[in-house]
Amino acid sequence: MSSSHPVLVVGSVALDTVETPFGRREELLGGSATFFAYAATPFAPVRLVSVVGRDFPAEHEERLSQLGIDARGLERADGETFRWTGRYEGDMNVAETLDTKLNVLGTFDPKLPADYRTTPFVFLANAHPANQLSVMDQMETRPAFTVCDTMNYWIEQELDGLREVLRRVDGVVLNDEEARRLTGERNLIRAGRAMLDLGPKVAIVKKGEHGAFLFSMLDFFALPAYPVDSVIDPTGAGDSFAGGLMGSLARAGRVTLARLKRAMIDGTVMASFAVESFSVERLASLGEGEIRSRHEEIVQFLSL
Ligand code: AMP
């Protein structure tokens, strides 16, 4: 753990059931905040806000603290933990959601512990826009960099709230389909630029195994994905990308376009590890050297 600035994530902690060509696994540790936290923690101290039910295995919570993740913001509510069931087929780029049981996540009202309210780097994972706004309202000091994610459901059902979130954040990270749905632009370059018109200074569009684009008023950047030859389970790739990205920025302590590009490399590296196993197994056992060496390999790809 470095002495870098802390990162706050507010999102889901889940028990996932996942089917991929490599098998079916039940009740795996998942959720957007989980993948984000596991991916960010090698770079910066992480503070996690989420909710689980009484059935959430204690070992998962112990593992968070062993990794140095501050989970004082993980509420244990009466009821069952959020459950998501998904399947991947073919090129495994798109998850088919088979079942979502919101359980305690359905009534979740995030409450930030007092000392989380001055965290300089904030990630609002996919959630009801009202929850994302409530987190921003609870901040006592203006964060250096706030980034949000969302999903098609909120784009369709809660567009006004989502637009307000987008007016208030510094950055947004979406996948290609979400970017198209949000902006109505089929072409991803046009979609990326249109996202900037909604408020954020920076928009990142992820394209799964095809990499990611960065859009800002001043610059454009395209980064390939790290080539992984054994994708076991893509669940959490997007949130791990966001975790690597925000962790990397927090370690740098400031956000410049050059730092953002390097942070996208770290996001790409963490996503590549996330997909190499079910759940957070691979992320949980990573050494610093492995992270650095993939980062350097990508830098090599980029220099002719
Ligand atoms: P990703 O593959 O990065 O998009 O993230 C997948 C993770 O998001 C899984 O571990 C799920 O538990 C979680 N997830 C799926 N649907 C939802 C939802 N409606 N709200 C919050 N988290 C979700």
Side-chain angles (χ1 to χ4, degrees):
M1 176 94 53
S2 63
S3 60
S4 38
H5 299 269
V7 187
L8 169 66
V9 57
V10 185
S12 61
V13 171
L15 294 172
D16 289 344
T17 295
V18 182
E19 246 179 81
T20 85
F22 295 89
R24 176 188 162 90
R25 300 285 178 88
E26 293 183 4
E27 305 269 300
L28 296 170
L29 175 61
S32 55
T34 305
F35 282 103
F36 180 99
Y38 271 75
T41 194
F43 300 92
V46 179
R47 299 167 172 175
L48 181 148
V49 172
S50 189
V51 64
V52 291
R54 302 278 166 215
D55 57 348
F56 189 68
E59 72 204 55
H60 294 326
E61 224 174 314
E62 282 155 21
R63 188 90 187 105
L64 289 172
S65 71
Q66 280 163 12
L67 286 168
I69 295 165
D70 179 347
R72 283 173 298 133
L74 180 64
E75 185 186 323
R76 212 174 249 274
D78 282 331
E80 290 188 9
T81 302
F82 168 60
R83 278 172 174 74
W84 176 77
T85 304
R87 175 165 63 197
Y88 301 85
E89 286 173 338
D91 65 7
M92 300 208 283
N93 258 330
V94 182
E96 183 192 349
T97 294
L98 301 175
D99 192 30
T100 301
K101 287 197 174 63
L102 286 178
N103 297 333
V104 294
L105 195 64
T107 50
F108 180 47
D109 178 16
K111 279 174 222 69
L112 272 49
D115 59 329
Y116 283 25
R117 296 173 186 224
T118 52
T119 311
F121 290 83
V122 177
F123 183 68
L124 307 167
N126 165 36
H128 194 300
N131 278 2
Q132 296 177 315
L133 290 168
S134 152
V135 172
M136 285 192 275
D137 288 341
Q138 290 176 56
M139 297 306 293
E140 275 166 16
T141 51
R142 190 183 157 74
F145 202 60
T146 304
V147 172
C148 76
D149 185 8
T150 191
M151 66 173 174
N152 283 339
Y153 181 81
W154 305 122
I155 296 171
E156 281 151 25
Q157 304 295 323
E158 294 289 339
L159 189 58
D160 287 347
L162 179 59
R163 281 178 176 275
E164 193 181 340
V165 172
L166 291 168
R167 278 194 291 274
R168 289 177 57 181
V169 295
D170 303 294
V172 55
V173 180
L174 296 184
N175 69 30
D176 43 3
E177 262 319 298
E178 293 156 352
R180 290 190 174 107
R181 190 80 59 113
L182 176 65
T183 61
E185 296 282 2
R186 288 303 306 164
N187 177 283
L188 272 191
I189 309 302
R190 297 176 78 94
R193 288 196 199 117
M195 281 157 69
L196 297 178
D197 293 337
L198 299 173
K201 296 190 280 287
V202 177
I204 293 175
V205 179
K206 300 163 292 173
K207 302 177 292 146
E209 64 177 339
H210 301 297
F213 288 139
L214 168 84
F215 300 87
S216 83
M217 289 303 185
L218 299 174
D219 210 355
F220 170 76
F221 181 57
L223 186 66
Y226 180 87
V228 174
D229 59 11
S230 124
V231 177
I232 302 294
D233 172 12
T235 310
D239 299 304
S240 303
F241 176 93
L245 177 96
M246 292 296 282
S248 180
L249 290 171
R251 181 162 68 182
R254 61 203 183 94
V255 183
T256 61
L257 279 169
R259 277 304 326 173
L260 268 166
K261 291 177 190 177
R262 259 176 259 150
M264 278 178 71
I265 298 179
D266 288 322
T268 297
V269 166
M270 299 316 279
S272 77
F273 286 121
V275 302
E276 285 181 343
S277 72
F278 282 99
S279 183
V280 292
E281 276 165 43
R282 184 79 173 96
L283 291 175
S285 62
L286 275 178
E288 264 195 35
E290 290 179 286
I291 297 172
R292 203 174 321 117
S293 99
R294 278 198 186 177
H295 181 109
E296 278 157 20
E297 267 184 83
I298 295 179
V299 172
Q300 284 299 316
F301 298 154
L302 296 176
S303 50
L304 288 174

